[in-house]
Amino acid sequence: MEDHKEKITVSDPTQMKIDVQPEPFEQNVDVHAPGTSGASTGFLRQWKKKDMLIRGSLGLRGIALFLSLISFMLMASNKHGDWKEFDKYQEYRYLLAVAILSSLYSGVQVFRQLHELSTGKNTIQQRTAGLIDFVGDQVVAYLLLSSTSSAIPITDRIRESVDNNMFTDSSAAAIAFSFFAFGCLALSAVISGYNLSTQTYI
């Protein structure tokens, strides 16, 4: 009798289902878990990389804003009478105008990016923002380089004719800050170009 009962228990379909069902379930978990974990890890890495690029661009534009404002203030206050007036030289007026433009552009971009980071919402469409960032960074960086290149020769000529004075020192300092602002926006343009090239809908 006991042997007969054991045989019925083993051949019982309910018992067989209970014994066999957990095995494929565990196999499914083991097979698919690594794939799910890898996808999550890849997504987190991509998200962190994108966040790092956004913050890096924000930091570079913030530095460019600071440097452009210093260049603007140094050149605008560079008036010491007689020929020592910045507005008597076309190259210095050009440098001042570009410093103002760079300050305005960098200020607007920094404000927009801070607003987007704080609210989590885009003020303009992503594609439009990518194009504006890429073109704007390149154009303003080129203008900064052009203005510094035009102001350096006139500063050297003045220094050759007279001894170093407050006028030429202030001019040289304004040129240096504009050049550093160019470097920051040039790096920002590289980041903008990378972000634009990685957009899947272009």
Side-chain angles (χ1 to χ4, degrees):
M1 285 297 288
E2 293 178 0
D3 295 337
H4 180 67
K5 287 182 180 179
E6 289 178 359
K7 188 175 182 180
I8 292 173
T9 302
V10 173
S11 60
D12 188 357
T14 305
Q15 184 67 26
M16 291 297 292
K17 185 176 181 180
I18 292 173
D19 292 338
V20 176
Q21 185 175 2
E23 188 174 351
F25 177 76
E26 292 176 358
Q27 289 179 355
N28 290 337
V29 173
D30 293 338
V31 170
H32 295 290
T36 304
S37 176
S40 300
T41 303
F43 175 77
L44 287 174
R45 287 178 180 175
Q46 184 177 4
W47 182 81
K48 288 181 179 180
K49 184 177 181 180
K50 182 178 180 182
D51 184 68
M52 182 181 66
L53 291 174
I54 292 174
R55 294 181 183 276
S57 177
L58 174 61
L60 288 171
R61 286 172 180 157
I63 297 173
L65 171 62
F66 175 72
L67 296 173
S68 298
L69 285 174
I70 293 180
S71 177
F72 159 70
M73 289 186 291
L74 285 173
M75 189 56 72
S77 61
N78 198 13
K79 292 187 174 184
H80 305 281
D82 197 15
W83 56 271
K84 302 175 184 178
E85 302 280 342
F86 84 91
D87 52 0
K88 293 184 177 181
Y89 302 91
Q90 182 178 0
E91 295 84 354
Y92 292 156
R93 293 198 304 268
Y94 178 43
L95 183 73
L96 178 68
V98 173
I100 294 174
L101 177 63
S102 176
S103 299
L104 292 174
Y105 169 77
S106 301
V108 171
Q109 288 285 56
V110 167
F111 175 79
R112 178 179 66 85
Q113 288 185 287
L114 287 175
H115 177 73
E116 290 179 353
L117 287 175
S118 61
T119 60
K121 298 179 180 179
N122 294 328
T123 54
I124 53 180
Q125 292 182 354
Q126 188 176 0
R127 182 177 183 179
T128 304
L131 289 172
I132 292 175
D133 292 345
F134 179 64
V135 175
D137 287 346
Q138 287 210 48
V139 170
V140 177
Y142 169 78
L143 290 175
L144 284 169
L145 182 62
S146 174
S147 64
T148 56
S149 299
S150 65
I152 289 174
I154 185 66
T155 305
D156 290 338
R157 288 197 298 269
I158 294 174
R159 280 184 167 178
E160 289 175 358
S161 59
V162 297
D163 294 333
N164 291 344
N165 52 52
M166 185 66 68
F167 177 72
T168 55
D169 290 343
S170 297
S171 300
I175 293 170
F177 281 111
S178 289
F179 181 78
F180 292 142
F182 151 76
C184 291
L185 286 182
L187 291 176
S188 180
V190 174
I191 296 177
S192 300
Y194 174 80
N195 291 333
L196 190 64
S197 65
T198 54
Q199 291 179 0
T200 57
Y201 44 79
I202 292 183

